[in-house]
């Protein structure tokens, strides 16, 4: 990638930013909380680019930004509480984690393989105009390298990401500077996952109940299966760094090499035949799901290099392997 373009905060600049997002590029843009690093949430390879640019060592679910509540309803299923919160606080610094809608187009990678989705309608006029011009959900964590502070202006963004992303929209300073409040509405009582720009008290006053904390369902308010965890894990066992497979296993390959015994596999998928880590990241969650659905007891995973996006891929696979 060449140098990062600075785009002006006018119609021409935003049209260019939208075009870059639509073709799978990365654009940092201002929101009322912090500058976000955006990618088209429906294109898994574009989302993988976010992790690569930030050098994030693990995949966590990203917040997808939308131009309106109407657009958000295509992606997620809103119960009464979620609808009330959306109507009261959107546009604004509130993220709602809700079950995926049947019409959801947000990629598995942006959801980190979960059956839920994090959605927000930002209030910043430039963010809103960009989302409208793009016409797609835009996944956008903070536009900084992993471990650094969240940026509140375009110069902060460039000091971390110059040459690593396609463009930044120069929109002046963000005015909240704290991240969005995250509330999960997944059936049962709503839960506060992260405090942020919208105060807890304002939310509790609106819904007339106290917010529970954390994602785990607890006994009083169990969550629907698949919503319970904060990260995706297949039902099958996961065996890492496999160089040969046993009868009845499913295999997750990487790169051009075949695996010994693969004729006997219950199912086989290759994350990337060319050994491209970005392509592999984009396929990771959907391939794990497909192999899990084959009914195999174990998914044998070929070695994946521990470089670049390989770190985040291996992190997720190790968690899946440790799960039972
Ligand atoms: P950010 O780094 O500001 O983009 O926020 C990402 C955070 O949003 C994640 O670390 C989660 O806490 C939360 N989040 C987004 N989507 C989901 C989801 N589907 N399920 C649970 N938490 C989510
Ligand atoms: Mg951050």
């Amino acid at each position: 990638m060449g140098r990062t373009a600075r785009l002006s905060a006018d119609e021409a600049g935003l049209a260019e930013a939208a075009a870059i997002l639509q073709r799978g590029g990365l654009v940092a843009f201002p929101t009322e909380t912090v500058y976000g690093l955006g990618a088209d949430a429906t294109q898994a390879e574009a989302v993988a680019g976010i992790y690569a640019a930030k050098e994030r060592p693990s995949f966590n679910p990203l917040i997808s930004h939308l131009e309106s509540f109407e657009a958000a309803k295509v992606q997620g299923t809103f119960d009464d509480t979620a609808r009330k919160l959306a109507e009261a606080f959107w546009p604004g610094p509130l993220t709602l984690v809700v079950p995926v809608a049947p019409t959801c187009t947000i990629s598995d990678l942006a959801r980190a393989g979960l059956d839920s989705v994090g959605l927000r309608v930002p209030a910043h006029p430039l963010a809103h105009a960009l989302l409208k011009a793009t016409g797609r959900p835009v996944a956008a964590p903070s536009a900084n390298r992993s471990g650094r502070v969240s940026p509140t202006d375009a110069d902060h963004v460039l000091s971390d990401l110059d040459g690593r992303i396609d463009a930044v929209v120069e929109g002046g300073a963000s005015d909240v500077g704290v991240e969005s409040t995250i509330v999960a509405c997944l059936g049962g009582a709503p839960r506060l996952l992260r405090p942020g720009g919208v105060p807890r008290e304002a939310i509790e006053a609106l819904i007339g109940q106290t917010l529970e904390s954390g994602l785990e369902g607890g006994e009083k308010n169990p969550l629907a299966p698949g919503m319970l965890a904060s990260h995706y894990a297949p039902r099958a066992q996961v065996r890492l760094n496999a160089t040969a497979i046993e009868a009845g296993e499913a295999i997750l390959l990487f790169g051009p090499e075949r695996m010994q015994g693969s004729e006997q596999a219950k199912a086989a998928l290759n994350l990337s035949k060319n050994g491209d880590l970005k392509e592999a990241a984009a396929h990771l969650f959907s391939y794990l799901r497909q192999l899990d659905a084959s009914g195999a007891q174990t998914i044998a995973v070929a070695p994946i290099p521990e470089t670049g996006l390989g770190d985040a891929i291996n992190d997720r696979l190790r968690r899946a392997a440790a799960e039972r």
Side-chain angles (χ1 to χ4, degrees), residues 54 56 141-142 144 148 150 179:
K54 286 179 66 86
R56 236 191 210 183
S142 56
N144 52 280
R148 314 250 189 115
S150 298
E179 284 165 311

Side-chain angles (χ1 to χ4, degrees), residues 3-4 6 28 35 143-144 148-162 165 168-174:
R3 294 212 53 181
T4 298
R6 287 172 175 265
Y35 270 63
N144 52 280
R148 314 250 189 115
V149 295
S150 298
T152 51
D153 67 35
D155 289 335
H156 283 181
V157 172
L158 289 172
S159 72
D160 261 22
L161 297 174
D162 196 10
I165 63 175
V168 58
V169 175
E170 304 215 75
S174 302

Side-chain angles (χ1 to χ4, degrees), residues 21-102:
L21 289 170
Q22 287 168 348
R23 60 172 186 259
L26 299 177
V27 178
F29 62 96
T31 77
E32 72 275 29
T33 60
V34 299
Y35 270 63
L37 176 55
D40 177 350
T42 69
Q43 299 182 50
E45 284 211 32
V47 175
I50 290 178
Y51 288 93
K54 286 179 66 86
E55 296 181 334
R56 236 191 210 183
S58 63
F59 296 126
N60 63 326
L62 301 177
I63 297 168
S64 290
H65 296 73
L66 297 133
E67 81 170 270
S68 64
F69 185 20
E70 283 313 305
K73 284 185 206 161
V74 174
Q75 306 299 335
T77 304
F78 290 72
D79 64 13
D80 287 345
T81 308
R83 190 170 336 111
K84 231 184 210 179
L85 291 170
E87 280 167 357
F89 297 110
W90 281 355
L94 176 71
T95 294
L96 293 171
V97 173
V98 297
V100 286

Side-chain angles (χ1 to χ4, degrees), residues 56 60-63 97 114 116-118 140-141 179 182 193-194 215:
R56 236 191 210 183
N60 63 326
L62 301 177
I63 297 168
V97 173
L114 298 172
S116 58
V117 64
E179 284 165 311
I182 305 179
L193 301 189
R194 178 175 79 189
L215 248 195

